[in-house]
Amino acid sequence: MPTPSGVRQSRFLQLLEEAEGTRAVREFGGFWKHAYKLLAATYSLLLILAVLVDDVGTSTLRGGFLLAILTLVFLRYPATRNAPRDRPSGPDLVLIALTVLAFGNFIVDYENMAWRAGTATTRDLVLGTIAIALALEACRRAMSVVLPILALVMLVYALLGQVLPTGVLAHQGFGYSQVIGDAYASTNGIFGFVAYVFIAYVMLFIIMGALFEQFGAGRFFIDLPVALTARYRGGPAKAAVVASGMFGMISGSAVANTVATGTFTIPLMKKTGYRPEVAGAVEAAASTGGMFMPPVMGAGAFLMAEMLKVPYAYIVKIAFVPAILYFFSVLVMVHFEAGRSGLGTMPKSQRPVIGAVVRGGWYYLLPLIVLFVTLFEGYTPSFAAFWAIVSFVALMFTRFAMSGQIRRFFPALYDGLASGGEKSLIVGVTAGPVGIIVGIALLTGLAFRFSEIVMAQTYGMVWLALLLVLFATFILGMGITVTADYLILALLAVPALGQLGVPLIAAHLAVFWFSQSSNVTPPVCMSAFAGAGIAGAQPYQTGFHAMKFSSFLYLMPFMFVYTPMLMPDGFNADVAYSWAMLFLAAIPYGAGVIGFLMARLSTWERFVLVAAGCAMAFPGHLSDAIGLVAFLVILGRQWTGLRRARLRIVR
């Protein structure tokens, strides 16, 4: 079965790797191709089946997960540019053997290690050192050196805290045995709650998304929005926004979303008249919204639920309206951009027929219904994902059987499982380094003292603390994944925001949204670079346009804190009013950012509209009234000007 974007899988991976900053992957042949694919598919299958087994021990799940991830990474990603690209090298096989030894030891000896906590043996120290080195090397290969360096800095910080100048960062210092014991011979570091959340929640959703793509669901989630929007001005760009929202429901990566949907929507936008850099930017901005769209929302949302100790269904419930609001803001800007550029609609001959699209793929929605119903019945995300996968596989089996193509079903299922294993590597490989950072931050007390730093630097002002968090997520986002970015700052910054009086759920969502800004904010804007690669546009021009189209993202965290849009007291009249004003605010804000309302706007009109949108977004009936009046004044000026122009033409 074809991938949803119609792109060959190797091209898909190539674009994804270029955008994520990863090294080129090996293209196996012969024995190694089959061995790698079998390992990836088996890993996915075992993760799915683990949901059904209640007596799998903690050490087996976490140790086995990291053992599998690191083995696949050492096979797939070469260590250097000169390493062989069609097979693993000798040193790679040695690293795999050491991985089996070090992580296998954790699996079989964890119970003994737990009993002797704080008194690591020589074997613990040797194998722990090896395990840490392997985790950092795997992350370096699959991503970059930034996250491993941060983890190393934290390890050194734990060892040398006593020599630091007296101050907030100084601590008593810990011996090598204590540090390695905490990072390896416990469930605080490499095998900590980050690995647990990835196993219990994230990976199953990645596998689910891969299966959906393999069996063509992604294509349906692209064709349906195109069919719905093709008759409207700037239809392909609006289709990109809607398609990215729908595809984001099954994709946990903004870059993967950009590549999968953009390969189809970006050429359509260019044909309609959008400039290449604008086409790539629209897709990048819309695809970033996929990280906010339930039920998947990226790995960070699952980590959020675990840290807050709340049901994931609660996160889904309160995150849905903000996600729709973000997509609406992008849609508004896309509409005004089409007017500003004088673009028309798609030719009728190129428009998909809505009825035909629905008849050809309505059944792809059924597993998502199963997923949502199971979640809101109170079951765990892993259980919900399991039944969504099972129902989808059963549905596809029935479909293939009824069409007489049952022989094609099993190879497609095998390819989907292997693809799921492949796509989980970039996320999974961060578990070790991030686990080390989190563990050391807790061991040394840095996670608690960071609040003192924030309080001192922001003088207790919440808005200034939010700006500081935005800056921190921007800096971290230039070198690490958005998930690692969110988790590190959730550990450090959220407690500080909580001390300033911000509800923890609002603080977590603010950090989560800010962390996604690196997808569209230069100089390292991963999704924008992916969009530029497909559009054939200049990357940084695309990045700045993507930043413009997604700029509502930077305002939303302030709304989480200052408005009741997250329903802190349940749904009530204040929440409804807040939602209405926020959606309305997106219109003047988008017009001001793009420079078009009913006609082109002057500089001062743009400034007034952006200010009006911001005034309407924040709470207060007076600011709402001022913003609304300013918006209506500009709207009236434009309407009057157009009416006079038409009258002059008639005369």
Side-chain angles (χ1 to χ4, degrees), residues 438-504:
V438 171
I440 297 299
L442 294 173
L443 178 68
T444 60
L446 177 64
F448 310 103
R449 288 195 293 273
F450 190 81
S451 297
E452 299 177 34
I453 301 174
V454 174
M455 294 286 286
Q457 297 299 319
T458 61
Y459 307 102
M461 292 182 283
V462 174
W463 65 269
L464 191 56
L466 287 171
L467 288 177
L468 184 63
V469 172
L470 172 60
F471 178 73
T473 57
F474 170 72
I475 296 299
L476 284 176
M478 288 194 291
I480 62 178
T481 65
V482 291
T483 301
D485 189 355
Y486 160 71
L487 182 56
I488 291 171
L489 284 167
L491 177 72
L492 298 176
V494 166
L497 292 173
Q499 288 190 20
L500 291 173
V502 177
L504 288 182

Side-chain angles (χ1 to χ4, degrees), residues 371-423:
L371 178 66
F372 277 108
V373 169
T374 310
L375 271 178
F376 284 102
E377 284 293 319
Y379 293 99
T380 63
S382 57
F383 189 78
F386 171 81
W387 282 109
I389 291 171
V390 169
S391 62
F392 181 72
V393 171
L395 188 65
M396 291 300 100
F397 179 84
T398 304
R399 176 190 166 202
F400 275 73
M402 291 178 65
S403 62
Q405 297 178 317
I406 195 65
R407 289 187 177 182
R408 297 180 58 193
F409 168 78
F410 293 103
L413 177 61
Y414 181 57
D415 289 343
L417 291 171
S419 177
E422 170 80 36
K423 290 181 179 180

Side-chain angles (χ1 to χ4, degrees), residues 14 103 184-185 271 404 415 442 530:
Q14 179 186 343
F103 289 86
Y184 171 74
K271 285 181 182 179
D415 289 343
L442 294 173

Side-chain angles (χ1 to χ4, degrees), residues 1-4 204-221 246-247 249-251 363-371 385 387-393 395-396 399 412 416-417 419 423:
M1 300 292 290
T3 57
L204 281 181
F205 281 88
I206 292 176
I207 295 166
M208 181 187 77
L211 288 169
F212 269 60
E213 291 179 44
Q214 183 63 40
F215 284 100
R219 185 69 188 201
F220 169 73
F221 290 143
M246 296 185 69
F247 195 78
M249 296 172 70
I250 61 171
S251 169
Y363 44 82
Y364 289 123
L365 298 173
L366 296 179
L368 291 179
I369 295 173
V370 171
L371 178 66
W387 282 109
I389 291 171
V390 169
S391 62
F392 181 72
V393 171
L395 188 65
M396 291 300 100
R399 176 190 166 202
L417 291 171
S419 177
K423 290 181 179 180

Side-chain angles (χ1 to χ4, degrees), residues 155 158 163 245 277 305 391 534:
L155 288 168
V163 303
E277 61 271 19
S391 62
I534 298 170

Side-chain angles (χ1 to χ4, degrees), residues 325-349:
L325 175 57
Y326 174 80
F327 279 109
F328 178 73
S329 73
V330 179
L331 199 62
V332 165
M333 293 190 205
V334 162
H335 176 76
F336 289 137
E337 177 66 31
R340 182 174 180 272
S341 303
L343 303 180
T345 63
M346 281 182 64
K348 194 170 183 178
S349 60

Side-chain angles (χ1 to χ4, degrees), residues 96-381:
I96 291 171
L98 290 174
T99 299
V100 174
L101 177 64
F103 289 86
N105 176 72
F106 178 83
I107 294 172
V108 300
D109 198 41
Y110 170 70
E111 193 171 322
N112 293 326
M113 287 191 288
W115 277 106
R116 59 177 181 263
T119 55
T121 65
T122 301
R123 184 174 75 169
D124 295 340
L125 294 177
V126 172
L127 294 180
T129 303
I130 292 173
I132 291 171
L134 291 170
L136 299 185
E137 167 61 10
C139 186
R140 181 197 70 82
R141 290 193 184 196
M143 288 177 49
S144 70
V145 298
V146 177
L147 192 55
I149 287 176
L150 285 175
L152 282 173
V153 168
M154 291 298 288
L155 288 168
V156 173
Y157 172 69
L159 292 169
L160 303 179
Q162 73 277 11
V163 303
L164 293 173
T166 302
V168 177
L169 295 179
H171 63 85
Q172 65 184 17
F174 296 89
Y176 188 76
S177 175
Q178 290 173 288
V179 172
I180 298 300
D182 189 74
Y184 171 74
S186 73
T187 54
N188 296 326
I190 294 176
F191 306 101
F193 91 100
V194 179
Y196 162 72
V197 172
F198 283 0
I199 298 165
Y201 306 138
V202 180
M203 295 307 162
L204 281 181
F205 281 88
I206 292 176
I207 295 166
M208 181 187 77
L211 288 169
F212 269 60
E213 291 179 44
Q214 183 63 40
F215 284 100
R219 185 69 188 201
F220 169 73
F221 290 143
I222 296 172
D223 286 346
L224 181 59
V226 172
L228 292 172
T229 62
R231 67 183 67 188
Y232 302 107
R233 184 171 64 181
K238 293 173 181 175
V241 177
V242 180
S244 294
M246 296 185 69
F247 195 78
M249 296 172 70
I250 61 171
S251 169
S253 167
V255 178
N257 197 350
T258 302
V259 174
T261 60
T263 304
F264 184 75
T265 59
I266 289 174
L268 279 180
M269 283 188 265
K270 291 173 65 178
K271 285 181 182 179
T272 311
Y274 283 95
R275 289 168 291 161
E277 61 271 19
V278 172
V282 168
E283 181 56 55
S287 294
T288 297
M291 299 294 285
F292 310 133
M293 178 59 74
V296 178
M297 297 175 61
F302 299 106
L303 292 163
M304 187 189 308
E306 183 65 21
M307 285 186 281
L308 287 169
K309 302 300 180 185
V310 298
Y312 184 68
Y314 174 71
I315 304 292
V316 169
K317 181 179 70 173
I318 66 171
F320 183 72
V321 170
I324 296 298
L325 175 57
Y326 174 80
F327 279 109
F328 178 73
S329 73
V330 179
L331 199 62
V332 165
M333 293 190 205
V334 162
H335 176 76
F336 289 137
E337 177 66 31
R340 182 174 180 272
S341 303
L343 303 180
T345 63
M346 281 182 64
K348 194 170 183 178
S349 60
Q350 298 179 14
R351 301 176 191 171
V353 180
I354 296 177
V357 172
V358 172
R359 287 192 299 272
W362 62 269
Y363 44 82
Y364 289 123
L365 298 173
L366 296 179
L368 291 179
I369 295 173
V370 171
L371 178 66
F372 277 108
V373 169
T374 310
L375 271 178
F376 284 102
E377 284 293 319
Y379 293 99
T380 63

